[in-house]
Amino acid sequence: GSGGEATTTVQWDPFAPNTLKYERPDGNINSSPATELKVVQRKIEPQNNQGSLVGSNELIRLTTKTSGPFNTNFDIVYAARVQRRWRRSTTEEGDRVVEGLEIVKTYRVLDGIAGIEFPTSTVKSTIRLTRTYPTRPGSKDT
């Protein structure tokens, strides 16, 4: 090997914000191929009366360009439904907290049609973002 670190190349254009492309070359035949994520459907869910701030529901098409033997190139396409919901809270110490719930379901795409009734995988994640007040007694910044 060359001993150097491979750099991930990421492309995103703020004038076309629904598309993100990345590539992670590692210098050998098993390099990660170029991948494109494109939001094809997005719905923003407004704040509700149960303390929820905002939510989103996105359908994303993921396309990975790969190559096979005899210089054959093909795309692997699948879809992901990403649902997020955020709410604001405070800890017992008075620190602000934003808590999130994210559900990601992936689907196979055959002949350009995603079979979104039968996900191939589902991942549920909880996200917790905390900001401590620097003026609070006992905080590291006082």
Side-chain angles (χ1 to χ4, degrees), residues 8-23 35-39 42 58:
T8 299
T9 304
V10 178
Q11 296 175 333
W12 179 76
D13 181 354
F15 296 104
N18 291 335
T19 302
L20 175 85
K21 297 177 184 178
Y22 69 91
E23 191 170 359
T35 300
E36 176 183 275
L37 288 77
K38 183 171 182 105
V39 177
R42 177 181 290 131
E58 298 176 325

Side-chain angles (χ1 to χ4, degrees), residues 49-64:
N49 292 331
Q50 286 81 39
S52 180
L53 284 176
V54 67
S56 63
N57 186 340
E58 298 176 325
L59 183 61
I60 301 170
R61 182 181 65 230
L62 298 102
T63 305
T64 300

